[in-house]
Structure formats: structure tokens, C-alpha cells
């Protein structure tokens, strides 16, 4: 599967769950022979030992289609230390992550707050489930027997109606929490 390269601008506008899913699905360091420990300095490892491994990790990140998503997650997670070169994440070393985190502190605070928006996360999940249900096939079997598509369609429609009700409830709660009042 070929993954489209994600830009930093795109990554900055996505929720944590979407970023993590992109990294899990398309990172150059996952699902390959690459050992993820190669991106972390070992306990007691000298600068001379760490330097070639850090360079190799940076090279892997440079070719990664979801490098920007990984970097954004690292920044939101507060990874990197200005005084310790012990990690490579999203194509940046620990001190580089710390500097980027400081440079983008206001934006990151807003992003972290949005990630904590439980109604927003719930809405994202409900709408994704509704989309998956609405676009799923009507070809199903139960106990080895084919279920007529009309029956499957009725079950899907009932599930979609239930999800729609949950979406309306979550939107109403979110609007009330934000001070928008209750929509009629």
C-alpha cells in the first residue's frame, strides 16, 4: 500500500486519533525490519555509539510519508529535551523537538485542548462508524447461510438511525458546553 505524503500544515489541523492512525498505517519505521528502539538512545550509550544510529533514524524519517504526523504527535506529547539528545521522532532530534515545541507553544496548546474535546472525539467516532455502516456491503451470512440483502439493508438503516440520534445528542451537548444554547 502506498501512502500519500502528509504535509506539516495538514498534520497541524488533524486530531490526535487521526494522526496516530496515519502513523500506525504508514510510518516507515513500523511493519518493517526497522527496530523502533533504533530511534531511542540506549542507557549508557556514548555520543560516538549514538551518532550513527541517530543518523540512520533521521534518514528513515526523511523518507517517511507520515513524518509530519509523527512530528506533530511528538510535539503534542511533549517529547524531546533541550539538554538531552536521546530520541529521534518525526525527523527531529530531542533538542530539535524541544525547540519546535517552544516555537509552536500556543498552537500546540490549542491542538492539545482540541484533542481533549470529548464530544468532538465522540462525534468523529460516531460519524466514522456511520460512514462505515452506510458504505458496507449488503452481502452477509449467518450460520453459513446468506442473508437477503433487503434484511441486511434494514439492519444497516436501523443502525444508521441510531447513530444519527447519538450524533444529534453529542452535538447538542457540545453546543451547550460551548455556550451556544440548545439547537431547536
Amino acid at each position: 500500500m502506498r501512502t500519500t505524503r502528509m504535509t506539516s500544515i495538514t498534520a497541524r489541523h488533524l486530531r490526535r486519533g487521526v494522526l496516530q492512525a496515519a502513523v500506525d498505517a504508514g510510518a516507515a519505521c513500523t511493519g518493517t525490519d526497522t527496530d523502533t528502539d533504533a530511534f531511542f538512545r540506549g542507557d549508557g550509550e556514548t555520543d560516538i555509539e549514538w551518532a550513527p544510529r541517530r543518523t540512520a533514524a533521521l534518514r528513515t524519517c526523511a523518507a517517511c510519508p507520515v513524518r509530519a504526523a509523527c512530528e506533530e504527535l511528538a510535539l503534542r506529547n511533549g517529547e524531546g529535551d533541550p539538554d538531552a539528545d536521546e530520541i529521534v521522532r518525526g525527523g527531529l532530534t530531542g533538542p530539535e523537538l524541544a525547540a519546535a515545541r517552544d516555537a509552536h507553544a500556543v498552537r500546540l496548546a490549542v491542538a492539545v485542548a482540541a484533542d481533549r474535546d470529548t464530544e468532538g472525539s465522540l462525534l468523529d467516532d460516531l460519524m466514522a462508524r456511520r460512514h462505515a455502516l452506510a458504505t458496507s456491503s449488503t452481502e452477509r451470512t449467518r450460520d453459513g447461510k446468506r442473508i437477503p440483502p433487503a434484511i441486511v439493508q434494514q439492519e444497516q438503516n436501523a443502525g444508521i438511525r441510531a447513530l444519527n440520534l447519538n450524533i444529534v445528542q453529542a452535538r447538542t451537548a457540545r453546543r451547550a458546553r460551548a455556550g451556544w444554547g440548545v439547537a431547536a
Side-chain angles (χ1 to χ4, degrees):
M1 177 178 98
R2 186 163 185 255
T3 305
T4 304
R5 186 167 291 279
M6 181 180 293
T7 67
S8 295
I9 293 170
T10 301
R12 290 175 184 163
H13 291 88
L14 295 175
R15 288 271 172 80
R16 181 181 303 272
V18 175
L19 293 168
Q20 188 64 58
V23 169
D24 291 345
C29 63
T30 59
T32 65
D33 293 333
T34 304
D35 180 10
T36 53
D37 287 340
F39 294 82
F40 299 92
R41 186 176 192 160
D43 292 337
E45 188 172 19
T46 66
D47 288 345
I48 293 172
E49 295 168 325
W50 170 235
R53 290 190 331 102
R54 181 186 57 225
T55 300
L58 288 168
R59 204 173 300 122
T60 299
C61 290
C64 183
V66 293
R67 185 209 53 78
C70 188
E71 176 187 340
E72 183 67 16
L73 282 171
L75 293 173
R76 290 186 194 184
N77 290 340
E79 294 181 16
D81 183 334
D83 301 319
D85 182 16
E86 57 190 23
I87 185 174
V88 171
R89 180 103 192 258
L92 299 176
T93 64
E96 292 169 336
L97 283 166
R101 195 175 54 250
D102 289 346
H104 298 276
V106 173
R107 179 189 64 75
L108 289 168
V110 171
V112 168
D115 288 339
R116 290 186 183 134
D117 175 9
T118 55
E119 288 94 0
S121 297
L122 176 62
L123 279 170
D124 290 346
D125 178 59
L126 289 170
M127 289 188 286
R129 288 174 40 203
R130 179 179 64 183
H131 176 76
L133 187 57
T135 58
S136 65
S137 171
T138 58
E139 295 295 318
R140 301 261 168 77
T141 59
R142 254 188 223 130
D143 300 323
K145 295 181 182 177
R146 185 174 175 271
I147 302 171
I151 302 271
V152 174
Q153 187 67 56
Q154 287 175 346
E155 291 173 359
Q156 286 176 327
N157 289 343
I160 290 169
R161 281 192 294 276
L163 288 168
N164 282 340
L165 179 61
N166 290 337
I167 289 168
V168 168
Q169 291 170 342
R171 280 185 180 148
T172 301
R174 187 178 195 203
R175 288 176 180 149
R177 186 177 57 81
W180 295 352
V182 178

